[in-house]
Amino acid sequence: MASIELQQIHKWFDTLHVINGVDLSIQKGEFVVFVGPSGCGKSTLLRIIAGLEDATNGSVLIDSKDVTGNLPSERSLAMVFQSYALYPHMNVRENIGFALKTAGVEKKIIEKKVDQTARILELEPLLDRLPKQLSGGQRQRVAIGRAIIREPKGFLFDEPLSNLDAALRVNMRLEISRLHKKLGITTIYVTHDQIEAMTLADRIVVLNEGEIVQEGTPQVLYNKPNSLFVAEFIGSPKMNIIPCHAKNGKIILHLEKELETKINCPNKKISRIGVRAEAISLTDLQNAELIGELALCEYLGSEQFAYVDCGNGILITVRIEPDVKIKIGSRVGLILSSSSLHLFEESGLRIEAS
């Protein structure tokens, strides 16, 4: 396993500045996920680490050694792509062992390593099958096996599950997580799916417009987002955001009419509050802080999400118990947990509670 360090990485495509001065240190054995919207630069950054793309400026260090000018084959990293890229005329055994074969490794050693890799990934019954005889999840495991057999210092995954259906994505997430715990190899994983990021990562790196906007554990990013962008990007469902201002030490919400709350806030810079769905409770209309009309309920088996129209185009998402039944169109009361509020200024930056 290897440590990986990025120092002031910039990347220009003609006049387009896609990576803007990224600094990042990844520890040995760490599982780091790059997440962000399409076009934020996460895959480009991964390709720069792999050596498949040249940085315009900056340095890539692996185990403190500068490898910026090195070829991909000289970096001891293995990449798993979004497409499986398996050779259709080769069976699973041949696909997994191909890299060692082209490197001139002895046949007996290749066979031994293929068998070891197949055991790790539970591919032993499939070794004689062609790729067309495999499911999507099985093909992705073969692609991972092809990376494992090289015994790399680090794995690089570029949205490896995006071609799979929902059930297979869940299974493959579990397999990738289990594989990392078993092998302990430094891993960088790129995805636009924040659920994948939350469930897989030791540390999440959130990118936007070529810059790191926040990094930290899933718990930190969920509970203390440093900006509106992170608050709305991390978490499912996304955080409720309500425009507001402070007056006489209280928060005034901008709904159909301005609504004064009982929530204390002396900070006059406040522009919006954020609150997660689980930090809102239903209550009777007399005791409500907010009153709205139930627009929709999503029943998910173990829970429900109620969407309450509070006016001014604001739809509040509330997590409720699965056995609660409310008629669509009825008026409902809401209470916000004041200890779970997130405060943001006009620029979108987080305001720390005093």
Side-chain angles (χ1 to χ4, degrees), residues 104-339:
V105 176
E106 290 182 22
K107 187 176 180 180
K108 287 185 178 179
I109 295 175
I110 294 175
E111 289 176 354
K112 181 180 178 181
K113 289 195 171 186
V114 168
D115 288 339
Q116 289 173 344
T117 303
R119 269 197 304 276
I120 291 170
L121 294 170
E122 298 179 3
L123 289 170
E124 293 166 292
L126 310 176
L127 286 173
D128 295 321
R129 292 191 190 180
L130 294 172
K132 67 181 180 181
Q133 298 170 308
L134 305 176
S135 69
Q138 290 168 338
R139 292 178 194 177
Q140 194 57 273
R141 275 191 281 158
V142 175
I144 293 170
R146 192 170 50 188
I148 288 173
I149 201 168
R150 293 172 50 196
E151 298 180 354
K153 291 183 177 180
F155 286 135
L156 308 178
F157 288 90
D158 189 8
E159 302 201 41
L161 309 186
S162 58
N163 290 334
L164 305 180
D165 62 38
L168 272 177
R169 280 202 302 272
V170 172
N171 289 339
M172 283 303 301
R173 278 206 313 265
L174 292 171
E175 290 194 30
I176 289 171
S177 181
R178 186 174 60 187
L179 183 65
H180 177 257
K181 286 177 172 59
K182 184 184 291 184
L183 301 178
I185 295 175
T186 308
T187 301
I188 305 175
Y189 186 105
V190 163
T191 183
H192 64 273
D193 185 332
Q194 54 87 26
I195 294 178
E196 282 182 23
M198 293 287 285
T199 54
L200 285 171
D202 295 325
R203 182 160 50 114
I204 297 174
V205 176
V206 184
L207 291 121
N208 190 34
E209 297 181 348
E211 297 182 351
I212 295 175
V213 293
Q214 189 174 2
E215 57 177 288
T217 64
Q219 293 83 0
V220 166
L221 266 62
Y222 188 83
N223 294 313
K224 294 196 71 174
N226 66 2
S227 65
L228 270 173
F229 175 82
V230 177
E232 294 188 280
F233 196 83
I234 297 294
S236 181
K238 71 177 186 178
M239 185 183 290
N240 296 295
I241 304 295
I242 307 173
C244 65
H245 70 276
K247 182 179 179 181
N248 299 326
K250 300 292 183 182
I251 292 179
I252 311 296
L253 302 181
H254 300 174
L255 300 173
E256 214 157 23
K257 297 178 181 179
E258 288 193 353
L259 176 66
E260 181 173 339
T261 70
K262 299 176 182 178
I263 303 165
N264 294 320
C265 182
N267 195 317
K268 292 184 179 180
K269 290 184 178 180
I270 187 171
S271 169
R272 279 154 288 189
I273 65 168
V275 57
R276 298 282 184 194
E278 64 270 19
I280 308 174
S281 305
L282 296 180
T283 188
D284 56 80
L285 300 181
Q286 289 75 22
N287 296 315
E289 292 177 338
L290 296 179
I291 294 176
E293 183 178 295
L294 184 65
L296 179 69
C297 258
E298 289 182 336
Y299 178 74
L300 301 177
S302 61
E303 61 188 357
Q304 289 186 86
F305 290 111
Y307 296 88
V308 181
D309 185 350
C310 291
N312 198 22
I314 296 170
L315 207 60
I316 301 293
T317 308
V318 186
R319 180 178 278 125
I320 60 177
E321 293 299 317
D323 55 349
V324 174
K325 293 184 179 180
I326 312 171
K327 186 178 178 181
I328 301 299
S330 60
R331 288 171 65 77
V332 296
L334 306 176
I335 292 179
L336 311 182
S337 171
S338 57
S339 62

Side-chain angles (χ1 to χ4, degrees), residues 54-90:
D54 293 328
T56 306
N57 298 106
S59 302
V60 178
L61 281 68
I62 297 177
D63 283 338
S64 302
K65 179 184 176 184
D66 192 336
V67 299
T68 310
N70 290 21
L71 295 171
S73 59
E74 298 169 335
R75 300 191 182 199
S76 298
L77 301 175
M79 192 155 177
V80 178
F81 296 92
Q82 181 176 343
S83 60
Y84 317 122
L86 303 179
Y87 296 105
H89 62 287
M90 295 182 184

